[in-house]
Amino acid sequence: MKRIKKKGSAIVMSAAMLLGLAACGGSSTATAAATEATTAPATTTAPATTAPAETTVPATEATTDAESKEETEIQVFIAASLQKSMEKIAELYNEQHPEVKITFNADSSGKLLAQIEEGYACDVFFSAAQKQMNTLEKDDGLVVDDTRKDVLNNQVCVITRKDSGTKVTGLSDIKNASSIALADGSVPVGKYTRQAMVNAGMLGKVDDVSRITTEEVSEQLGGVEISEQSNVSKVLAAVVEGSCEVGTTYYSDTYGYEDQVKILEKISYDLTGNVIYPICQVKNDEADDAEKAAALDFVNFVTSDEAKKVFDSFYFDTNV
């Protein structure tokens, strides 16, 4: 596989999100950079990797160690549903490691995988499903040995606006909606939704549910109007703004929208299967030793008890 040399470059992409979601537009870099998924990757110049980091924090043993380390930047590719929680985790990490700049690229796991395979610089991959991680590890050989870990579980929900007046009660009668926001099959939440519909007898059985097209879903649900979305954050936006009556998102995506969104049903794991989020360090031949060390350290921090408390507060299940 051709590796595009982008050492030290920040991929500035994340998915477009309305009403307060970081775009899954615009980029922000403080302790962590939110990124724009709907535009082409932008290239910026990374901080010098030879100068010691500056800090105004009172000197302690911990901060003295941080000051002695090289400044570096790591590129962290995350599923769109992780953006809010991961920005908080990056803040906590930077309190201990101010010398590490963390740049996030948030989008659907399928798109992120494709970008890594195309050669975009990536140090850490945090997927919303095992499928993409399996491909990265087994087919591409790009997972650093012994760094892959299962971190979270999530739950697919059928949601609507609180003032929608929908008569839909959940997945079983979702076809009665005037319109449905649904992620495509390459997006984990779209795949899990299709799996639930197959297991519930709403769609015909196939070998790979991710290959069930949106048109086929609509046809088998009686011709209901479906607005296909490219990631879970866009599904949420379509429901919040009222362009679709209902949609399927993750429970974690409803965080911060409790006053606007009503959860009609949390779909049973018996229908979807577990919604596991794995993380790993990615082999990046263009990264120097400081960048590789920071990437591994960040993976370990994300799987720590301190980070679990953050994920729990954002409605994820850390009992994996």
Side-chain angles (χ1 to χ4, degrees):
M1 180 189 68
K2 182 179 180 181
R3 300 288 292 168
I4 300 173
K5 292 186 178 181
K6 294 177 179 284
K7 178 178 180 294
S9 66
I11 301 174
V12 190
M13 304 176 8
S14 92
M17 187 63 207
L18 299 176
L19 302 174
L21 281 177
C24 186
S27 64
S28 61
T29 302
T31 54
T35 54
E36 174 99 26
T38 57
T39 61
T43 303
T44 59
T45 302
T49 58
T50 56
E54 295 180 359
T55 179
T56 57
V57 179
T60 64
E61 183 177 348
T63 57
T64 299
D65 288 343
E67 290 170 348
S68 68
K69 296 179 181 179
E70 291 182 274
E71 288 184 348
T72 191
E73 178 178 2
I74 59 174
Q75 310 293 330
V76 181
F77 284 33
I78 58 173
S81 53
L82 290 165
Q83 187 157 338
K84 288 182 178 180
S85 57
M86 286 297 286
E87 286 174 353
K88 179 61 178 177
I89 286 172
E91 290 178 10
L92 296 176
Y93 181 79
N94 280 135
E95 290 176 3
Q96 303 174 30
H97 299 280
E99 79 284 358
V100 179
K101 178 182 178 182
I102 302 169
T103 299
F104 286 130
N105 176 22
D107 208 321
S108 74
S109 300
K111 286 187 177 180
L112 297 176
L113 172 64
Q115 290 167 4
I116 296 171
E117 291 177 327
E118 289 168 5
Y120 292 114
C122 175
D123 298 295
V124 175
F125 181 39
F126 200 170
S127 172
Q130 301 280 20
K131 179 180 179 180
Q132 289 77 19
M133 189 66 75
N134 289 341
T135 299
L136 189 69
E137 181 175 28
K138 298 176 182 178
D139 297 344
D140 301 327
L142 292 177
V143 174
V144 175
D145 292 344
D146 301 322
T147 64
R148 177 176 176 172
K149 302 175 183 178
D150 292 340
V151 185
L152 305 169
N153 204 346
N154 210 340
Q155 195 160 13
V156 179
C157 297
V158 180
I159 63 168
T160 189
R161 277 180 60 98
K162 283 196 170 181
D163 60 358
S164 72
T166 184
K167 295 181 180 179
V168 173
T169 60
L171 187 69
S172 63
D173 61 353
I174 197 170
K175 66 181 181 180
N176 295 329
S178 60
S179 58
I180 302 170
L182 178 67
D184 69 68
S186 70
V187 181
V189 72
K191 175 181 177 293
Y192 288 123
T193 300
R194 286 163 171 78
Q195 185 64 67
M197 289 179 173
V198 168
N199 289 338
M202 300 167 64
L203 300 178
K205 292 185 178 181
V206 294
D207 292 335
D208 183 357
V209 296
S210 66
R211 295 184 179 276
I212 302 175
T213 68
T214 299
E215 290 76 13
E216 289 171 334
V217 175
S218 174
E219 181 181 349
Q220 293 185 53
L221 294 184
V224 61
E225 178 183 326
I226 298 179
S227 176
E228 182 178 286
Q229 304 297 328
S230 60
N231 62 52
V232 68
S233 296
K234 290 184 178 181
V235 173
L236 176 64
V239 174
V240 169
E241 70 184 9
S243 60
C244 289
E245 184 177 328
V246 300
T248 58
T249 67
Y250 295 123
Y251 179 41
S252 62
D253 285 281
T254 66
Y255 177 88
Y257 289 86
E258 294 86 354
D259 293 338
Q260 301 175 64
V261 169
K262 179 181 179 180
I263 297 174
L264 298 173
E265 179 187 4
K266 292 181 182 177
I267 303 174
S268 168
Y269 289 131
D270 291 339
L271 294 178
T272 62
N274 286 320
V275 184
I276 301 297
Y277 285 57
I279 193 172
C280 77
Q281 181 182 359
V282 178
K283 293 179 181 178
N284 181 358
D285 294 337
E286 301 302 319
D288 59 21
D289 289 343
E291 185 175 340
K292 291 178 181 178
L296 178 58
D297 192 57
F298 187 64
V299 169
N300 291 333
F301 185 79
V302 171
T303 58
S304 69
D305 289 340
E306 184 174 1
K308 285 182 179 181
K309 294 177 182 178
V310 175
F311 286 127
D312 286 335
S313 70
F314 281 88
Y315 302 164
F316 286 99
D317 180 4
T318 58
N319 185 24
V320 178

